[in-house]
């Protein structure tokens, strides 16, 4: 069976499918017994029970009248303190969102503050968004398990009209306290809405009575090699059992087949054809489980986006149960409700797009399915890869801007030098023209003056002088 690990995170290791209960559960108080239909111990607020049990406060309930006259036994007081602590620990914050998208009406949803109750929270949030259940008063900041259990019980009792359904209702409600610690899921490989019942199947019966469809996308492509091996075992439990059987048959070499010398070890085994077929199927199954550790395949994702009708579902993925919203939008048809308590005070983050199996392409959107953004303009909810890419792109843009500014500066300096040289040449040419005047000999250029030195003569006269001296022939 696959145990619902309650972490809101989408990053899991390959062994997440069979993860053991979180260490946090060791310190979690045991489930509180629920008595449906008795509105007697219904808490108004998780923390109000502490003030109700404070010293000096007399309770008017008949079962506490004797304790007002004498001190109760020590075990009873410890039991009362444990129950109060359990009520305080099992309190989850609420968040107000616009629903449905595009409208101005609002609903209070339940956020997950600790590991454990993802199944219960997903069930309640689907009922709340469908309008079958409401958290009152509308400004309530948190809810307790007892409060939610009473709401679910009232809802189921109001839907049950015949006596034949009473027994099924009792079996389902008996499993309600167990949803605080998780839920055992055994998904079937051939259908996105098929799950095998475990034991009495009370958890699945509870979702069925509430008319909440439980779906998953952990499906194999029918054209793949592992599909034939998976349909032989039908479900997750059968797949794990086959891998264990093959590993035992190969004396533990199945899990070591990735080592360099595994080929030599396998060659020494003497297996029958049936055993060889079993080992081959187990290898394919193990490869499928390890390569799809997020419990969602691209084939399953495409199947969900094309076969589900618009509406709300409970999605099993990554050992976590969340609310899935199927829309009629062609670009982003699938959204999951964000219930991590870190976003309780972030109204811009309500849904997350479901676009790939590892969440690298997903983004957060607000209640109107518009991409989330904070007041500063930075998009919220980006994946780590997207954030790194955006940061690198920003650095590249900054570098390009700096290079462009430097190029403009160098070009301006070169233009200034060119203009200065052009002005210098222009001034020199004007000065030369003033020297030349309009004539071609020294008399016209220097009227009334005779040059005394050769250096005082203009260049052309010096050249003529050289030519004349060069015409003489020395005999």
């Amino acid at each position: 069976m696959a145990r619902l690990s309650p972490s809101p995170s989408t990053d899991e290791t390959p062994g997440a499918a069979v993860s053991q209960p979180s260490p946090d559960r060791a310190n979690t108080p045991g489930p509180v017994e629920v008595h449906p239909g008795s509105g007697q111990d219904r808490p108004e607020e998780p923390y109000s029970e502490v003030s109700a049990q404070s010293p000096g406060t007399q309770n008017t309930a008949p079962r506490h009248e004797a304790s007002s006259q004498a001190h109760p036994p020590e075990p009873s007081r410890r039991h009362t303190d444990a129950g109060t602590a359990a009520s305080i620990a099992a309190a989850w914050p609420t968040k107000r969102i616009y629903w449905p998208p595009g409208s101005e009406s609002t609903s209070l949803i339940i956020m997950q503050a600790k590991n454990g109750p993802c199944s219960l929270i997903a069930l309640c949030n689907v009922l709340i968004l469908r309008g079958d259940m409401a958290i009152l008063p509308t400004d309530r900041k948190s809810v307790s398990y007892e409060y939610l259990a009473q709401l679910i019980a009232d809802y189921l009792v109001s839907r049950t009209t015949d006596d034949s359904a009473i027994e099924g209702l009792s079996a389902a409600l008996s499993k309600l306290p167990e949803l605080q610690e998780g839920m055992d899921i055994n998904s079937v490989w051939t259908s996105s809405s098929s799950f095998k019942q475990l034991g009495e199947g009370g958890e699945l019966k509870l979702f069925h009575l509430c008319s909440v469809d439980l779906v998953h996308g952990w499906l194999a492509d029918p054209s793949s090699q592992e599909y034939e091996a998976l349909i032989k075992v039908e479900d997750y439990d059968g797949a794990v059992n086959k891998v264990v059987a093959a590993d035992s048959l190969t004396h533990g070499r199945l899990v070591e087949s990735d080592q360099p010398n595994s080929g030599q070890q396998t060659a020494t085994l003497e297996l029958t054809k049936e055993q060889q077929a079993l080992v081959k199927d187990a290898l394919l199954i193990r490869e499928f489980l390890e390569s799809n550790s997020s419990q969602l395949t691209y084939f399953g994702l495409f199947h969900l986006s094309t076969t589900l009708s618009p509406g709300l579902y409970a999605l099993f993925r990554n050992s976590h149960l969340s609310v899935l919203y199927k829309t009629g939008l062609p670009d982003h048809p699938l959204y999951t409700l964000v219930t991590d308590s870190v976003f309780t005070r972030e109204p811009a983050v309500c849904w997350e797009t479901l676009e790939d199996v590892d969440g690298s392409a997903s983004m957060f959107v607000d209640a109107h399915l518009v991409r989330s953004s904070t007041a500063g303009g930075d998009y919220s909810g980006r994946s780590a890869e997207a954030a790194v890419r955006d940061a690198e792109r920003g650095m590249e843009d900054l570098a390009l801007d700096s290079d462009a500014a430097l190029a403009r500066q160098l070009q301006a300096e070169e233009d200034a030098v060119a203009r200065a040289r052009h002005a210098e040449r222009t001034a020199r040419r004007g000065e030369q023209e003033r020297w030349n005047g309009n004539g071609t000999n020294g008399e016209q250029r220097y009227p009334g003056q005779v040059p005394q030195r050769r250096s005082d003569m203009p260049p052309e006269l010096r050249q003529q002088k050289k030519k004349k001296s060069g015409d003489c022939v020395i005999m």
Side-chain angles (χ1 to χ4, degrees):
M1 69 188 72
R3 183 72 178 176
L4 276 183
S5 138
S7 173
S9 171
T10 56
D11 295 331
E12 294 289 338
T13 58
V18 290
S19 61
Q20 297 298 324
S22 172
D24 295 339
R25 298 178 180 174
N27 299 325
T28 304
V32 182
E33 185 177 0
V34 184
H35 302 280
S38 65
Q40 173 175 340
D41 293 322
R42 179 173 176 177
E44 291 298 328
E45 195 70 21
Y47 295 96
S48 63
E49 300 177 2
V50 179
S51 59
Q53 301 294 334
S54 59
T57 303
Q58 183 176 358
N59 198 320
T60 58
R63 60 176 180 176
H64 291 292
E65 289 179 355
S67 62
S68 62
Q69 301 175 1
H71 293 288
E74 187 66 21
S76 300
R77 184 162 58 247
R78 288 199 301 266
H79 178 74
T80 302
D81 294 341
T84 303
S87 300
I88 296 175
W92 306 294
T94 62
K95 178 181 179 179
R96 181 171 300 280
I97 66 171
Y98 290 102
W99 176 259
S103 68
E104 295 300 324
S105 60
T106 60
S107 298
L108 279 179
I109 63 172
I110 307 166
M111 308 296 285
Q112 183 173 345
K114 56 176 292 186
N115 290 346
C118 63
S119 305
L120 178 63
I121 290 177
L123 176 63
C124 292
N125 281 332
V126 171
L127 295 176
I128 290 172
L129 295 178
R130 284 194 332 202
D132 297 330
M133 204 169 72
I135 297 176
L136 297 175
T138 57
D139 59 347
R140 194 182 188 110
K141 301 300 181 182
S142 62
V143 292
S144 64
Y145 162 75
E146 290 84 356
Y147 179 78
L148 296 180
Q150 186 65 50
L151 289 181
I152 295 176
D154 292 343
Y155 169 72
L156 292 177
V157 169
S158 65
R159 288 169 53 91
T160 305
T161 57
D162 53 346
D163 296 337
S164 60
I166 297 298
E167 294 182 2
L169 177 61
S170 300
L173 291 177
S174 65
K175 296 293 183 179
L176 190 58
E178 299 180 8
L179 295 184
Q180 296 181 95
E181 301 300 327
M183 180 178 175
D184 293 327
I185 294 293
N186 189 15
S187 55
V188 178
W189 305 119
T190 57
S191 175
S192 61
S193 58
S194 296
F195 298 87
K196 286 289 189 67
Q197 290 189 357
L198 302 174
E200 299 178 357
E203 297 94 338
L204 296 180
K205 187 67 174 179
L206 183 61
F207 279 80
H208 176 71
L209 291 176
C210 294
S211 299
V212 176
D213 294 332
L214 190 63
V215 298
H216 71 94
W218 207 3
L219 303 176
D221 189 346
S223 62
S224 62
Q225 295 181 352
E226 58 266 18
Y227 180 78
E228 295 295 332
L230 289 171
I231 61 176
K232 293 178 183 178
V233 297
E234 295 185 357
D235 54 21
Y236 175 79
D237 279 2
V240 173
N241 291 336
K242 174 163 282 193
V243 173
V244 172
D247 186 61
S248 175
L249 185 63
T250 58
H251 306 290
R253 299 176 185 178
L254 182 67
V255 296
E256 300 176 356
S257 60
D258 294 333
Q259 296 182 359
N261 59 350
S262 60
Q264 298 177 359
Q265 291 179 347
T266 306
T268 60
L269 294 175
E270 296 181 0
L271 303 176
T272 64
K273 292 183 178 180
E274 293 77 8
Q275 292 173 340
Q276 292 177 4
L278 187 147
V279 173
K280 180 181 178 181
D281 290 344
L283 287 171
L284 293 174
I285 293 174
R286 190 197 66 172
E287 177 64 23
F288 175 81
L289 295 177
E290 291 181 352
S291 59
N292 300 281
S293 59
S294 64
Q295 299 165 346
L296 178 66
T297 65
Y298 281 104
F299 177 81
L301 181 61
F302 177 78
H303 180 81
L304 292 175
S305 62
T306 55
T307 60
L308 292 182
S309 301
L312 296 169
Y313 302 86
L315 174 66
F316 169 67
R317 175 203 177 198
N318 236 349
S319 297
H320 179 71
L321 209 64
S322 59
V323 177
L324 177 67
Y325 177 39
K326 169 64 185 303
T327 69
L329 302 176
D331 296 336
H332 304 291
L334 298 178
Y335 294 86
T336 57
L337 185 65
V338 178
T339 56
D340 196 320
S341 61
V342 298
F343 296 106
T344 301
R345 299 184 181 275
E346 181 54 69
V349 178
C350 295
W351 300 90
E352 183 180 6
T353 60
L354 183 59
E355 301 186 33
D356 59 356
V357 299
D358 56 2
S360 60
S362 63
M363 63 179 180
F364 286 157
V365 296
D366 60 14
H368 302 297
L369 306 183
V370 179
R371 186 171 182 178
S372 300
S373 62
T374 60
D378 296 329
Y379 289 109
S380 301
R382 294 171 298 173
S383 62
E385 293 82 358
V388 171
R389 287 196 302 267
D390 293 343
E392 292 177 349
R393 190 179 299 112
M395 295 298 295
E396 291 176 358
D397 294 340
L398 181 61
L400 291 176
D401 293 341
S402 301
D403 294 342
L406 180 60
R408 288 194 296 268
Q409 180 181 356
L410 295 177
Q411 186 63 41
E413 293 177 357
E414 292 179 0
D415 293 343
V417 172
R419 287 193 297 269
R421 291 178 179 176
H422 178 72
E424 183 180 356
R425 286 196 299 269
T426 302
R428 189 178 302 169
R429 188 180 301 110
E431 183 180 358
Q432 184 176 0
E433 291 177 354
R434 287 195 300 272
W435 278 90
N436 291 336
N438 296 325
T440 58
N441 53 33
E443 289 79 4
Q444 293 177 341
R445 186 174 302 171
Y446 302 99
Q449 293 183 357
V450 179
Q452 300 297 323
R453 293 176 299 178
R454 183 179 179 86
S455 60
D456 294 334
M457 298 174 65
E460 48 267 27
L461 292 181
R462 291 198 296 268
Q463 293 176 1
Q464 293 177 5
K465 186 74 175 178
K466 291 179 181 179
K467 288 180 181 180
K468 289 181 180 180
S469 60
D471 294 338
C472 299
V473 178
I474 301 178
M475 300 300 296

